[in-house]
Amino acid sequence: MTASAHAVPPRIEQLDALRGLALFGILVVNLGVFASPYYGLGLPDPSYDGGLDRAVRLLVAGLFEMKFYLLFSFLFGYSFSLQLDSAQRAGEAFVPRMLRRLLGLWLIGLAHAVLLFHGDILGTYAAMGLILLTTRALSERTALRSALVLIVATAVAWAGLALLIRLSGEAGVVDARIVAAQAQTTLAGFLGDPAAVVAQRVRELASTGIVLAFMQAPCALAMFLLGRVAGRRRMLAHLDRYPALLRRLRLWGFGIGLPAAALYAGVSTFEPGGALELSALALSLLTAPLLTGAYAALAMSGFAGRAGPRLVRLLAPAGRMALSNYLLQSAAAALAFTGYGFGLMGRLSPLTVLAFAIMLFGAQLRFSAWWMQHHGHGPMEWLLRAITLGAWPRWRKPARDAA
C-alpha cells in the first residue's frame, strides 16, 4: 500500500467507497439509455422481449433505477457539509469558492449533455447546489421536513398525472406503431455522423429536461438536504452511535422500499407506457429513498466487516475520482453505442448490456487505482478544483507520496 493510502482516514475511505458503489449503479441504469432507441418511449424493444430480456429489465428497474443517483445526491450533501465546516475552521470565504465550483460543474455538465449524454445529472446538481448553498443555515429539523415535503410532493405530482389520465378516459397506453417510428428516428440520429449524434442529443434534451426538472431535481435536492444533516453530525464517521437508525433503514428500506421497487419493475416491464406505470412510478419515487438508505446502511456495515477493508480499497479510488469516472462512462458508452464509434445501439440484449456495465466498471476500478497512486485528483476533479480555487493545483503527487 502507498504512503498516501495510509494517510487517508478509514472513514473517509469508506465514504469514497460508497461513492464508488453509487457510480456502478448509475452506470447500469445509464447504459440502458445508450443501448436502446426505445428507452423512455413506453414500450420495450421488440427485438429483445424474451423471458431473459424481461428478467434483466426487472432486475435493473427494481434494484437500480431511481436508487443510486439518490445515493450519490446524499453524498453530495454530506460532502458539502464537510467542505463548509473545513472552510469555517480555516477562516476561508466559502460562498465565492462554492459558487465557482457550481459554475464549473454546470459548464462541465452542459458539455456532457450536448456531446456525450442527454441524461446528464451534473447540471441539475449545480442548480440544486445553489439552493443548498442559500439554505445552508437551515436548522436540522427544517432541512429534514423540507426533504420530506420535496419527496412527497414529487410523488403526489406524478400520481396526480396518472389520475388525470385515468379520469380523461384514456388508458394512456402508447401506440406501438408511433413508438416504433420514434425509435427508428432516434436510432438513425444516434447512428449518424458526429454532427448528427450531437443534433439528436440536443433534440432529446427537451424530453429529458422534463424528467430532470420534475423528478430528479426535487428528489436530488431532498437527498442533498438529508446528506447535509448527516454531514453536520458526521454520521458516516460515527456509525457506532446510530445502531437503531441503521436497523430502521434496513427494515424500512427492504420491508417497504424493496416491494414498491419490485411493483414498479413489474409494471414497467409487463404493462409499460400507461397510467398504471405512472402510478407505480409515483409509489417508487415515494419509497426509493428508503431503499437507498438500506443500501447505504448495508454497504457501510459491510465495509466494517471482515472483508470490508479489501472492498473499500477496491472501490475508494473510483469514488475519489467520481466525476472523471462518470464522464468516462458516458464517453465509453457513446463510443460503443453511437455513431461516434461502433454504433451498437439497438444491437445488444439487456443481458449483454449488463455484462458490458460490469466489465467497464471493473476496468474503471483498475484505472482509478493506478491513477490515484500517482495523482492527488482525478483529471476532471483537478480541472474543477482549478476553477474553484482560481489557481492550478498540483497535477502529480510528490515522489515521496506516490512511492
Side-chain angles (χ1 to χ4, degrees):
M1 184 180 296
T2 65
S4 59
H6 288 295
V8 180
R11 290 296 187 180
I12 298 299
E13 278 207 310
Q14 291 182 6
L15 182 63
D16 289 329
L18 195 58
R19 193 175 287 112
L21 182 64
L23 268 174
F24 173 68
I26 290 170
L27 172 63
V28 170
V29 176
N30 287 353
L31 279 188
V33 183
F34 281 97
S36 175
Y38 281 83
Y39 192 93
L41 296 183
L43 284 180
D45 188 335
S47 299
Y48 300 103
D49 202 27
L52 182 58
D53 301 321
R54 291 193 175 200
V56 174
R57 281 200 290 270
L58 278 169
L59 177 72
V60 173
L63 299 183
F64 291 88
E65 287 185 11
M66 295 182 291
K67 313 301 186 302
F68 286 93
Y69 91 90
L70 292 180
L71 177 56
F72 211 91
S73 301
F74 172 85
L75 295 173
F76 185 102
Y78 193 97
S79 296
F80 177 94
S81 282
L82 300 185
Q83 294 165 13
L84 176 58
D85 291 348
S86 177
Q88 290 175 340
R89 288 194 304 269
E92 298 173 347
F94 178 72
V95 173
R97 289 178 57 172
M98 182 55 66
L99 286 174
R100 290 194 296 270
R101 184 177 182 84
L102 293 175
L103 175 60
L105 190 64
W106 182 82
L107 290 173
I108 293 170
L110 178 62
H112 179 231
V114 172
L115 298 176
L116 294 177
F117 182 44
H118 51 276
D120 168 76
I121 195 68
L122 301 178
T124 302
Y125 276 13
M128 296 302 100
L130 283 174
I131 298 177
L132 182 64
L133 182 62
T134 59
T135 59
R136 64 190 183 280
L138 286 179
S139 67
E140 290 188 3
R141 182 184 297 272
T142 302
L144 292 174
R145 286 179 174 175
S146 299
L148 179 62
V149 167
L150 284 166
I151 292 168
V152 172
T154 303
V156 168
W158 286 91
L161 179 59
L163 180 61
L164 285 175
I165 292 174
R166 287 186 178 278
L167 292 177
S168 70
E170 299 286 341
V173 178
V174 298
D175 187 312
R177 290 172 298 178
I178 294 176
V179 169
Q182 290 176 320
Q184 288 305 310
T185 300
T186 299
L187 185 64
F190 278 127
L191 297 188
D193 60 26
V197 173
V198 171
Q200 181 64 36
R201 208 169 294 291
V202 171
R203 286 192 291 270
E204 295 287 336
L205 284 174
S207 57
T208 304
I210 295 174
V211 175
L212 290 174
F214 297 103
M215 183 189 301
Q216 289 189 327
C219 292
L221 179 57
M223 298 305 289
F224 281 8
L225 292 169
L226 294 177
R228 169 81 173 112
V229 172
R232 281 179 175 176
R233 298 189 178 192
R234 299 293 193 275
M235 291 180 68
L236 297 181
H238 304 288
L239 286 177
D240 54 314
R241 301 177 185 175
Y242 302 96
L245 175 60
L246 293 177
R247 285 195 300 270
R248 286 197 296 270
L249 282 174
R250 290 192 291 266
L251 178 64
W252 295 345
F254 293 124
I256 299 174
L258 189 58
L263 175 63
Y264 164 74
V267 172
S268 64
T269 299
F270 295 103
E271 293 291 337
L276 181 59
E277 183 180 13
L278 287 178
S279 299
L281 172 66
L283 178 62
S284 186
L285 287 169
L286 184 65
T287 58
L290 296 177
L291 187 51
T292 299
Y295 285 171
L298 187 64
M300 293 302 289
S301 297
F303 294 157
R306 179 177 298 180
R310 182 180 300 176
L311 188 58
V312 167
R313 288 195 298 271
L314 179 68
L315 291 170
R320 281 199 287 276
M321 50 185 291
L323 175 59
S324 296
N325 278 317
Y326 173 66
L327 297 174
L328 281 171
Q329 288 172 357
S330 294
L335 180 64
F337 291 103
T338 75
Y340 285 174
F342 298 101
L344 294 176
M345 176 177 273
R347 296 169 57 186
L348 299 182
S349 70
L351 181 60
T352 305
V353 174
L354 180 59
F356 178 60
I358 294 170
M359 290 187 292
L360 176 56
F361 189 66
Q364 287 192 299
L365 291 178
R366 293 182 64 88
F367 172 72
S368 299
W370 172 82
W371 182 274
M372 295 308 298
Q373 286 178 357
H374 303 284
H375 301 81
H377 312 281
M380 296 307 299
E381 284 78 8
W382 178 88
L383 176 61
L384 187 59
R385 186 170 178 81
I387 295 172
T388 302
L389 300 177
W392 298 115
R394 186 189 298 273
W395 176 249
R396 295 183 65 88
K397 286 182 178 179
R400 62 181 181 277
D401 293 334

PDB file of all heavy atoms in Angstrom, residues 237-260:
ATOM      1  N   ALA A 237     -18.965   8.857   9.895  1.00  0.00           N
ATOM      2  CA  ALA A 237     -17.727   8.669  10.657  1.00  0.00           C
ATOM      3  C   ALA A 237     -17.996   8.116  12.055  1.00  0.00           C
ATOM      4  O   ALA A 237     -17.063   7.707  12.750  1.00  0.00           O
ATOM      5  CB  ALA A 237     -16.970   9.988  10.768  1.00  0.00           C
ATOM      6  N   HIS A 238     -19.267   8.109  12.458  1.00  0.00           N
ATOM      7  CA  HIS A 238     -19.611   7.666  13.814  1.00  0.00           C
ATOM      8  C   HIS A 238     -20.843   6.766  13.773  1.00  0.00           C
ATOM      9  O   HIS A 238     -21.789   6.964  14.531  1.00  0.00           O
ATOM     10  CB  HIS A 238     -19.867   8.872  14.724  1.00  0.00           C
ATOM     11  CG  HIS A 238     -18.738   9.847  14.786  1.00  0.00           C
ATOM     12  ND1 HIS A 238     -17.553   9.577  15.447  1.00  0.00           N
ATOM     13  CD2 HIS A 238     -18.592  11.093  14.247  1.00  0.00           C
ATOM     14  CE1 HIS A 238     -16.734  10.611  15.335  1.00  0.00           C
ATOM     15  NE2 HIS A 238     -17.325  11.538  14.602  1.00  0.00           N
ATOM     16  N   LEU A 239     -20.821   5.792  12.892  1.00  0.00           N
ATOM     17  CA  LEU A 239     -21.990   4.929  12.738  1.00  0.00           C
ATOM     18  C   LEU A 239     -22.286   4.125  14.004  1.00  0.00           C
ATOM     19  O   LEU A 239     -23.431   3.696  14.214  1.00  0.00           O
ATOM     20  CB  LEU A 239     -21.781   3.974  11.558  1.00  0.00           C
ATOM     21  CG  LEU A 239     -21.887   4.613  10.163  1.00  0.00           C
ATOM     22  CD1 LEU A 239     -21.581   3.582   9.089  1.00  0.00           C
ATOM     23  CD2 LEU A 239     -23.259   5.223   9.940  1.00  0.00           C
ATOM     24  N   ASP A 240     -21.273   3.913  14.828  1.00  0.00           N
ATOM     25  CA  ASP A 240     -21.496   3.172  16.066  1.00  0.00           C
ATOM     26  C   ASP A 240     -22.452   3.902  17.010  1.00  0.00           C
ATOM     27  O   ASP A 240     -22.997   3.293  17.937  1.00  0.00           O
ATOM     28  CB  ASP A 240     -20.158   2.915  16.774  1.00  0.00           C
ATOM     29  CG  ASP A 240     -19.368   4.196  17.000  1.00  0.00           C
ATOM     30  OD1 ASP A 240     -19.272   4.996  16.055  1.00  0.00           O
ATOM     31  OD2 ASP A 240     -18.838   4.381  18.106  1.00  0.00           O
ATOM     32  N   ARG A 241     -22.677   5.193  16.772  1.00  0.00           N
ATOM     33  CA  ARG A 241     -23.597   5.961  17.600  1.00  0.00           C
ATOM     34  C   ARG A 241     -25.042   5.840  17.117  1.00  0.00           C
ATOM     35  O   ARG A 241     -25.956   6.332  17.786  1.00  0.00           O
ATOM     36  CB  ARG A 241     -23.212   7.447  17.589  1.00  0.00           C
ATOM     37  CG  ARG A 241     -21.809   7.735  18.100  1.00  0.00           C
ATOM     38  CD  ARG A 241     -21.506   9.223  17.968  1.00  0.00           C
ATOM     39  NE  ARG A 241     -20.123   9.533  18.328  1.00  0.00           N
ATOM     40  CZ  ARG A 241     -19.565  10.737  18.205  1.00  0.00           C
ATOM     41  NH1 ARG A 241     -20.295  11.742  17.718  1.00  0.00           N
ATOM     42  NH2 ARG A 241     -18.310  10.935  18.544  1.00  0.00           N
ATOM     43  N   TYR A 242     -25.251   5.226  15.959  1.00  0.00           N
ATOM     44  CA  TYR A 242     -26.588   5.198  15.351  1.00  0.00           C
ATOM     45  C   TYR A 242     -27.030   3.781  14.990  1.00  0.00           C
ATOM     46  O   TYR A 242     -27.554   3.546  13.895  1.00  0.00           O
ATOM     47  CB  TYR A 242     -26.606   6.066  14.089  1.00  0.00           C
ATOM     48  CG  TYR A 242     -26.225   7.510  14.334  1.00  0.00           C
ATOM     49  CD1 TYR A 242     -24.917   7.943  14.133  1.00  0.00           C
ATOM     50  CD2 TYR A 242     -27.163   8.437  14.774  1.00  0.00           C
ATOM     51  CE1 TYR A 242     -24.549   9.264  14.358  1.00  0.00           C
ATOM     52  CE2 TYR A 242     -26.815   9.755  15.004  1.00  0.00           C
ATOM     53  CZ  TYR A 242     -25.508  10.166  14.795  1.00  0.00           C
ATOM     54  OH  TYR A 242     -25.154  11.474  15.019  1.00  0.00           O
ATOM     55  N   PRO A 243     -26.887   2.822  15.899  1.00  0.00           N
ATOM     56  CA  PRO A 243     -27.297   1.455  15.545  1.00  0.00           C
ATOM     57  C   PRO A 243     -28.798   1.336  15.283  1.00  0.00           C
ATOM     58  O   PRO A 243     -29.223   0.593  14.400  1.00  0.00           O
ATOM     59  CB  PRO A 243     -26.866   0.637  16.766  1.00  0.00           C
ATOM     60  CG  PRO A 243     -26.821   1.629  17.891  1.00  0.00           C
ATOM     61  CD  PRO A 243     -26.369   2.907  17.286  1.00  0.00           C
ATOM     62  N   ALA A 244     -29.603   2.076  16.050  1.00  0.00           N
ATOM     63  CA  ALA A 244     -31.057   1.994  15.858  1.00  0.00           C
ATOM     64  C   ALA A 244     -31.452   2.555  14.500  1.00  0.00           C
ATOM     65  O   ALA A 244     -32.322   2.005  13.811  1.00  0.00           O
ATOM     66  CB  ALA A 244     -31.771   2.753  16.976  1.00  0.00           C
ATOM     67  N   LEU A 245     -30.810   3.648  14.086  1.00  0.00           N
ATOM     68  CA  LEU A 245     -31.108   4.235  12.783  1.00  0.00           C
ATOM     69  C   LEU A 245     -30.753   3.278  11.655  1.00  0.00           C
ATOM     70  O   LEU A 245     -31.515   3.115  10.689  1.00  0.00           O
ATOM     71  CB  LEU A 245     -30.343   5.548  12.611  1.00  0.00           C
ATOM     72  CG  LEU A 245     -30.470   6.234  11.244  1.00  0.00           C
ATOM     73  CD1 LEU A 245     -31.927   6.577  10.944  1.00  0.00           C
ATOM     74  CD2 LEU A 245     -29.593   7.473  11.168  1.00  0.00           C
ATOM     75  N   LEU A 246     -29.601   2.620  11.761  1.00  0.00           N
ATOM     76  CA  LEU A 246     -29.196   1.669  10.735  1.00  0.00           C
ATOM     77  C   LEU A 246     -30.176   0.503  10.644  1.00  0.00           C
ATOM     78  O   LEU A 246     -30.501   0.041   9.545  1.00  0.00           O
ATOM     79  CB  LEU A 246     -27.785   1.153  11.035  1.00  0.00           C
ATOM     80  CG  LEU A 246     -26.656   2.184  10.930  1.00  0.00           C
ATOM     81  CD1 LEU A 246     -25.329   1.554  11.322  1.00  0.00           C
ATOM     82  CD2 LEU A 246     -26.570   2.765   9.527  1.00  0.00           C
ATOM     83  N   ARG A 247     -30.653   0.041  11.786  1.00  0.00           N
ATOM     84  CA  ARG A 247     -31.638  -1.054  11.780  1.00  0.00           C
ATOM     85  C   ARG A 247     -32.934  -0.605  11.110  1.00  0.00           C
ATOM     86  O   ARG A 247     -33.524  -1.351  10.321  1.00  0.00           O
ATOM     87  CB  ARG A 247     -31.916  -1.532  13.210  1.00  0.00           C
ATOM     88  CG  ARG A 247     -30.810  -2.379  13.807  1.00  0.00           C
ATOM     89  CD  ARG A 247     -31.303  -3.121  15.046  1.00  0.00           C
ATOM     90  NE  ARG A 247     -31.760  -2.195  16.084  1.00  0.00           N
ATOM     91  CZ  ARG A 247     -30.977  -1.692  17.035  1.00  0.00           C
ATOM     92  NH1 ARG A 247     -29.687  -2.008  17.068  1.00  0.00           N
ATOM     93  NH2 ARG A 247     -31.466  -0.876  17.947  1.00  0.00           N
ATOM     94  N   ARG A 248     -33.379   0.615  11.424  1.00  0.00           N
ATOM     95  CA  ARG A 248     -34.622   1.107  10.827  1.00  0.00           C
ATOM     96  C   ARG A 248     -34.469   1.300   9.319  1.00  0.00           C
ATOM     97  O   ARG A 248     -35.396   1.014   8.560  1.00  0.00           O
ATOM     98  CB  ARG A 248     -35.040   2.417  11.490  1.00  0.00           C
ATOM     99  CG  ARG A 248     -35.598   2.249  12.887  1.00  0.00           C
ATOM    100  CD  ARG A 248     -36.368   3.489  13.313  1.00  0.00           C
ATOM    101  NE  ARG A 248     -35.501   4.657  13.407  1.00  0.00           N
ATOM    102  CZ  ARG A 248     -34.850   5.030  14.507  1.00  0.00           C
ATOM    103  NH1 ARG A 248     -34.953   4.293  15.628  1.00  0.00           N
ATOM    104  NH2 ARG A 248     -34.093   6.106  14.515  1.00  0.00           N
ATOM    105  N   LEU A 249     -33.314   1.792   8.902  1.00  0.00           N
ATOM    106  CA  LEU A 249     -33.090   1.969   7.470  1.00  0.00           C
ATOM    107  C   LEU A 249     -33.189   0.641   6.732  1.00  0.00           C
ATOM    108  O   LEU A 249     -33.804   0.546   5.662  1.00  0.00           O
ATOM    109  CB  LEU A 249     -31.726   2.604   7.227  1.00  0.00           C
ATOM    110  CG  LEU A 249     -31.620   4.114   7.472  1.00  0.00           C
ATOM    111  CD1 LEU A 249     -30.172   4.567   7.327  1.00  0.00           C
ATOM    112  CD2 LEU A 249     -32.512   4.889   6.508  1.00  0.00           C
ATOM    113  N   ARG A 250     -32.572  -0.391   7.302  1.00  0.00           N
ATOM    114  CA  ARG A 250     -32.636  -1.705   6.653  1.00  0.00           C
ATOM    115  C   ARG A 250     -34.058  -2.267   6.702  1.00  0.00           C
ATOM    116  O   ARG A 250     -34.544  -2.839   5.720  1.00  0.00           O
ATOM    117  CB  ARG A 250     -31.645  -2.668   7.311  1.00  0.00           C
ATOM    118  CG  ARG A 250     -30.185  -2.336   7.019  1.00  0.00           C
ATOM    119  CD  ARG A 250     -29.271  -3.466   7.451  1.00  0.00           C
ATOM    120  NE  ARG A 250     -29.215  -3.592   8.897  1.00  0.00           N
ATOM    121  CZ  ARG A 250     -28.287  -3.028   9.672  1.00  0.00           C
ATOM    122  NH1 ARG A 250     -27.335  -2.286   9.131  1.00  0.00           N
ATOM    123  NH2 ARG A 250     -28.299  -3.198  10.978  1.00  0.00           N
ATOM    124  N   LEU A 251     -34.732  -2.096   7.831  1.00  0.00           N
ATOM    125  CA  LEU A 251     -36.089  -2.632   7.979  1.00  0.00           C
ATOM    126  C   LEU A 251     -37.060  -1.934   7.033  1.00  0.00           C
ATOM    127  O   LEU A 251     -37.793  -2.592   6.288  1.00  0.00           O
ATOM    128  CB  LEU A 251     -36.546  -2.466   9.424  1.00  0.00           C
ATOM    129  CG  LEU A 251     -37.976  -2.930   9.735  1.00  0.00           C
ATOM    130  CD1 LEU A 251     -38.104  -4.434   9.505  1.00  0.00           C
ATOM    131  CD2 LEU A 251     -38.355  -2.581  11.178  1.00  0.00           C
ATOM    132  N   TRP A 252     -37.052  -0.617   7.029  1.00  0.00           N
ATOM    133  CA  TRP A 252     -37.987   0.126   6.185  1.00  0.00           C
ATOM    134  C   TRP A 252     -37.583   0.026   4.714  1.00  0.00           C
ATOM    135  O   TRP A 252     -38.444  -0.078   3.838  1.00  0.00           O
ATOM    136  CB  TRP A 252     -38.043   1.587   6.606  1.00  0.00           C
ATOM    137  CG  TRP A 252     -38.592   1.808   7.978  1.00  0.00           C
ATOM    138  CD1 TRP A 252     -39.294   0.901   8.740  1.00  0.00           C
ATOM    139  CD2 TRP A 252     -38.480   2.990   8.768  1.00  0.00           C
ATOM    140  NE1 TRP A 252     -39.621   1.443   9.952  1.00  0.00           N
ATOM    141  CE2 TRP A 252     -39.141   2.738  10.007  1.00  0.00           C
ATOM    142  CE3 TRP A 252     -37.903   4.233   8.582  1.00  0.00           C
ATOM    143  CZ2 TRP A 252     -39.220   3.695  11.011  1.00  0.00           C
ATOM    144  CZ3 TRP A 252     -37.989   5.190   9.586  1.00  0.00           C
ATOM    145  CH2 TRP A 252     -38.634   4.921  10.781  1.00  0.00           C
ATOM    146  N   GLY A 253     -36.282   0.079   4.464  1.00  0.00           N
ATOM    147  CA  GLY A 253     -35.830   0.038   3.077  1.00  0.00           C
ATOM    148  C   GLY A 253     -36.159  -1.266   2.395  1.00  0.00           C
ATOM    149  O   GLY A 253     -36.737  -1.279   1.295  1.00  0.00           O
ATOM    150  N   PHE A 254     -35.824  -2.368   3.066  1.00  0.00           N
ATOM    151  CA  PHE A 254     -36.083  -3.676   2.454  1.00  0.00           C
ATOM    152  C   PHE A 254     -37.529  -4.136   2.673  1.00  0.00           C
ATOM    153  O   PHE A 254     -38.047  -4.922   1.885  1.00  0.00           O
ATOM    154  CB  PHE A 254     -35.100  -4.722   2.993  1.00  0.00           C
ATOM    155  CG  PHE A 254     -33.682  -4.460   2.575  1.00  0.00           C
ATOM    156  CD1 PHE A 254     -32.675  -4.324   3.514  1.00  0.00           C
ATOM    157  CD2 PHE A 254     -33.347  -4.321   1.235  1.00  0.00           C
ATOM    158  CE1 PHE A 254     -31.365  -4.073   3.122  1.00  0.00           C
ATOM    159  CE2 PHE A 254     -32.048  -4.067   0.835  1.00  0.00           C
ATOM    160  CZ  PHE A 254     -31.055  -3.940   1.782  1.00  0.00           C
ATOM    161  N   GLY A 255     -38.169  -3.629   3.728  1.00  0.00           N
ATOM    162  CA  GLY A 255     -39.549  -4.032   4.002  1.00  0.00           C
ATOM    163  C   GLY A 255     -40.579  -3.231   3.231  1.00  0.00           C
ATOM    164  O   GLY A 255     -41.657  -3.753   2.895  1.00  0.00           O
ATOM    165  N   ILE A 256     -40.278  -1.975   2.923  1.00  0.00           N
ATOM    166  CA  ILE A 256     -41.224  -1.108   2.208  1.00  0.00           C
ATOM    167  C   ILE A 256     -40.680  -0.713   0.835  1.00  0.00           C
ATOM    168  O   ILE A 256     -41.365  -0.841  -0.178  1.00  0.00           O
ATOM    169  CB  ILE A 256     -41.512   0.167   3.037  1.00  0.00           C
ATOM    170  CG1 ILE A 256     -42.148  -0.200   4.377  1.00  0.00           C
ATOM    171  CG2 ILE A 256     -42.413   1.122   2.253  1.00  0.00           C
ATOM    172  CD1 ILE A 256     -42.338   0.970   5.314  1.00  0.00           C
ATOM    173  N   GLY A 257     -39.433  -0.230   0.817  1.00  0.00           N
ATOM    174  CA  GLY A 257     -38.850   0.246  -0.437  1.00  0.00           C
ATOM    175  C   GLY A 257     -38.668  -0.846  -1.468  1.00  0.00           C
ATOM    176  O   GLY A 257     -38.929  -0.631  -2.668  1.00  0.00           O
ATOM    177  N   LEU A 258     -38.235  -2.028  -1.042  1.00  0.00           N
ATOM    178  CA  LEU A 258     -37.989  -3.109  -1.991  1.00  0.00           C
ATOM    179  C   LEU A 258     -39.273  -3.629  -2.627  1.00  0.00           C
ATOM    180  O   LEU A 258     -39.326  -3.800  -3.861  1.00  0.00           O
ATOM    181  CB  LEU A 258     -37.210  -4.239  -1.317  1.00  0.00           C
ATOM    182  CG  LEU A 258     -36.693  -5.342  -2.235  1.00  0.00           C
ATOM    183  CD1 LEU A 258     -35.787  -4.766  -3.315  1.00  0.00           C
ATOM    184  CD2 LEU A 258     -35.942  -6.403  -1.429  1.00  0.00           C
ATOM    185  N   PRO A 259     -40.352  -3.895  -1.866  1.00  0.00           N
ATOM    186  CA  PRO A 259     -41.596  -4.311  -2.522  1.00  0.00           C
ATOM    187  C   PRO A 259     -42.144  -3.253  -3.485  1.00  0.00           C
ATOM    188  O   PRO A 259     -42.653  -3.592  -4.557  1.00  0.00           O
ATOM    189  CB  PRO A 259     -42.559  -4.542  -1.346  1.00  0.00           C
ATOM    190  CG  PRO A 259     -41.668  -4.854  -0.192  1.00  0.00           C
ATOM    191  CD  PRO A 259     -40.450  -4.008  -0.403  1.00  0.00           C
ATOM    192  N   ALA A 260     -42.030  -1.977  -3.111  1.00  0.00           N
ATOM    193  CA  ALA A 260     -42.501  -0.924  -4.011  1.00  0.00           C
ATOM    194  C   ALA A 260     -41.666  -0.882  -5.283  1.00  0.00           C
ATOM    195  O   ALA A 260     -42.203  -0.692  -6.387  1.00  0.00           O
ATOM    196  CB  ALA A 260     -42.443   0.432  -3.301  1.00  0.00           C
TER     197      ALA A 260
END
